[in-house]
């Protein structure tokens, strides 16, 4: 985007819960309705072309990689004022644009991903991009230990976690 290359604005998508979005200086009535109804919604990069501001519910935002975790949290947090984003894997341009807008709003951001090589690598790349502005959440070695499976990590998986820089994620990767 910074070099004028336009991505596919429709497949760049993020799922959102509890976030008001301002477009061209006006709060978007559809996103406001989703917030009032306490329902999740999907936002594409096309929808965010004229983004001017965001207003999260509460003072914390949780970003989740996994759709099933997102669904579970929505079910558990009925009637709780929270903002949750779901990236469905690697954050696309739409998710990154919302994260940047959220950071400008001054809210605390917590990120949690799958405790597999891809999930740890995604968390590490977000940390590298945004530094301590995004807190890694529920990805420490003790969280990994609680979720251990019998599935072995292959050579490709090991290669993915060799370059992890975040201290806690590095510890988890070495576990």
């Amino acid at each position: 985007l910074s070099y004028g290359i336009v991505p596919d604005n429709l497949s760049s998508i993020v799922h959102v819960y509890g976030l008001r979005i301002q477009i061209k200086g006006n709060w978007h009535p559809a996103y406001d309705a989703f917030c009032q109804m306490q329902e999740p919604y999907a936002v594409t990069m096309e929808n965010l072309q004229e983004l001017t501001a965001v207003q999260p519910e509460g003072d914390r935002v949780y970003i989740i990689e996994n759709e099933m975790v997102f669904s579970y949290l929505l079910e558990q947090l009925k009637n709780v004022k929270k903002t949750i984003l779901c990236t469905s894997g690697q954050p696309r341009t739409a998710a990154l644009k919302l994260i940047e807008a959220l950071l400008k709003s001054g809210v605390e951001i917590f990120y949690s991903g799958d405790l597999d090589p891809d999930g740890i690598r995604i968390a590490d790349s977000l940390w590298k991009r945004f530094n301590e502005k995004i807190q890694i959440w529920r990805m420490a070695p003790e969280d990994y230990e609680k979720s251990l499976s019998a599935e072995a990590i292959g050579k490709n998986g090991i290669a993915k976690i060799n370059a992890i820089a975040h201290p806690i994620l590095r510890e988890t990767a070495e576990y």
Side-chain angles (χ1 to χ4, degrees), residues 24-111:
K24 296 182 185 178
N26 297 305
W27 295 107
H28 196 290
Y31 304 132
D32 280 354
F34 279 111
C35 289
Q36 288 174 346
M37 298 296 294
Q38 296 183 331
E39 294 179 3
Y41 59 91
V43 179
T44 67
M45 188 60 193
E46 186 67 28
N47 301 127
L48 299 174
Q49 289 298 315
E50 304 290 332
L51 176 69
T52 49
V54 295
Q55 184 181 43
E57 296 272 353
D59 57 357
R60 286 184 169 186
V61 172
Y62 299 91
I63 302 173
I64 307 298
E65 172 199 353
N66 185 296
E67 299 93 343
M68 295 305 293
V69 173
F70 181 68
S71 295
Y72 175 80
L73 288 174
L74 293 180
E75 197 59 38
Q76 298 303 309
L77 297 174
K78 283 191 186 284
N79 302 318
V80 175
K81 300 276 187 182
K82 291 286 179 217
T83 298
I84 308 171
L85 274 59
C86 179
T87 63
S88 301
Q90 185 70 37
R92 294 175 187 89
T93 310
L96 296 173
K97 186 163 185 154
L98 278 182
I99 291 169
E100 289 168 1
L102 285 163
L103 289 171
K104 286 180 188 174
S105 79
V107 72
E108 277 188 288
I109 299 177
F110 293 82
Y111 177 83

Side-chain angles (χ1 to χ4, degrees), residues 8-28:
D8 174 358
N9 284 341
L10 294 178
S11 65
S12 178
I13 192 167
V14 60
H15 291 86
V16 181
Y17 176 81
L19 181 67
R20 294 182 73 209
I21 297 177
Q22 192 178 85
I23 305 293
K24 296 182 185 178
N26 297 305
W27 295 107
H28 196 290

Side-chain angles (χ1 to χ4, degrees), residues 65 87 89-91 111 117-127 164:
E65 172 199 353
T87 63
Q90 185 70 37
Y111 177 83
D118 288 322
I120 291 171
R121 192 168 74 172
I122 291 168
D124 193 59
S125 68
L126 282 171
W127 178 73
I164 300 300

